Amino acid sequence: MTLDARLTPTRTPENTARLTISCPDKRGIVAAVSQFLHNHGANIIHSDQHSTDPEGGQFFMRMEFYLEGLDLARGAFERAFAAVVAEPFAMDWRIWYSDQPKRMGILVSQYDHCFLDLLWRWRRGELDVEIPVIISNHEALRADAEMFGLPFHVIAVSKDTKAQAEAEQLALLQGKVDFVVLARYMQILSGDFLQGVGVPVINIHHSFLPAFVGANPYRAAFKRGVKLVGATAHYVTEELDAGPIIEQDVARVTHRETPETLMRLGRDVERQVLARAVKAHVEDRVLVHGNKTMVF
C-alpha cells in the first residue's frame, strides 16, 4: 500500500452523494455550491457543468462529493442546501446517495439480446441497481429471469385488453421502481400508463425509424442497401419514439451483408447503446432540458 493510499480516507457509499442542478444561469452558481460544500467539510470528487448561454441561458451541473457523517445528517444537509443555495438561485435540484441503488423495472417481450445483456451487467456489478419487477407479455424469457433469481410476471396484451393489462402493470410497478427500461418491449405505452407509472421510462430502438418501419426493418434496410445500422436510447414520451435522446451509436456495413448479419450487427449496437444509457441514468449523468439531454 502506498503512503498516499494510507493517508487518504476510505470513501464509503453511505457518505458519498451526487448533486444535480438545473437553474437560470447567472454569476456565482459554481462558487456558491462549492463554498457550501466546503463549509460543511465535503470533498468534491467530480464536477461537470454546462450552460446553454452564459447570458440568460440555462445552467446544468452534476457534482459528486464525499462528506464524513453524511449518512447521519442527510435531512439537515438538504434543508441547509435548499435555504442557502437552491432557493436564492431558483434551482431545480436533487441529491442521490450512493448507498441507495436505484430500483429498475424491466418490460420485455420475446427478443432477449437487450434483456440478457442488462441482467448480465447487473450480476457483474456494472449496473448499481436493484431489479424488483420484470414484466413481459410473453412466457418466452421466464427461464432466463428465473436463472438470475429475479421475479418474472406475464401480462398478456391485446387490442381489447390493453387498458386492463396496463392497469395490472401499474399495480406491479407503482412505488416499487425508480425507473423503467423497455428492453425491446414490443408494445406502445399509453399516455395514461406513462402518467401513472410516475418515473422515467427508457426505450431502445433501431435507428432506421422512420425510414423503415414495420415488423422487419432490417430486411427493408437490406433492400435499400444501407451503409449504417444503429440504435437510439431515449426517454419515453407520449409522442412515439420522439423523447429526449440519451445515447446513440452506429456500425458501418457493406454490400456483403445479408438481412441476418444486418440484424446481428444491429442488435449488438442496440444492447450496447441501451446499457450505456441505463448506466448514465443510474449514475445521474443525464439532465433533461425540454426535448434534449445533457449527458455528463
Side-chain angles (χ1 to χ4, degrees), residues 142-164:
R142 179 183 292 278
D144 295 301
E146 292 177 347
M147 179 178 64
F148 284 86
L150 295 170
F152 188 84
H153 305 270
V154 174
I155 300 175
V157 182
S158 69
K159 182 179 179 180
D160 296 331
T161 65
K162 185 176 180 66
Q164 177 61 31

Side-chain angles (χ1 to χ4, degrees), residues 77-115:
F77 181 86
E78 291 183 18
R79 289 191 293 273
F81 182 83
V84 175
V85 183
E87 292 175 8
F89 286 95
M91 290 178 175
D92 181 7
W93 64 283
R94 181 170 185 178
I95 295 178
W96 194 283
Y97 301 96
S98 298
D99 64 342
Q100 297 176 345
K102 288 185 173 64
R103 299 166 299 171
M104 177 175 71
I106 300 177
L107 269 63
V108 63
S109 290
Q110 299 188 82
Y111 294 121
D112 65 357
H113 56 292
C114 289
F115 176 65

Side-chain angles (χ1 to χ4, degrees), residues 5-23:
R6 292 197 301 270
L7 295 178
T8 302
T10 302
R11 291 170 180 160
T12 53
E14 63 268 20
N15 291 316
T16 305
R18 299 183 293 270
L19 169 66
T20 57
I21 292 169
S22 173
C23 64

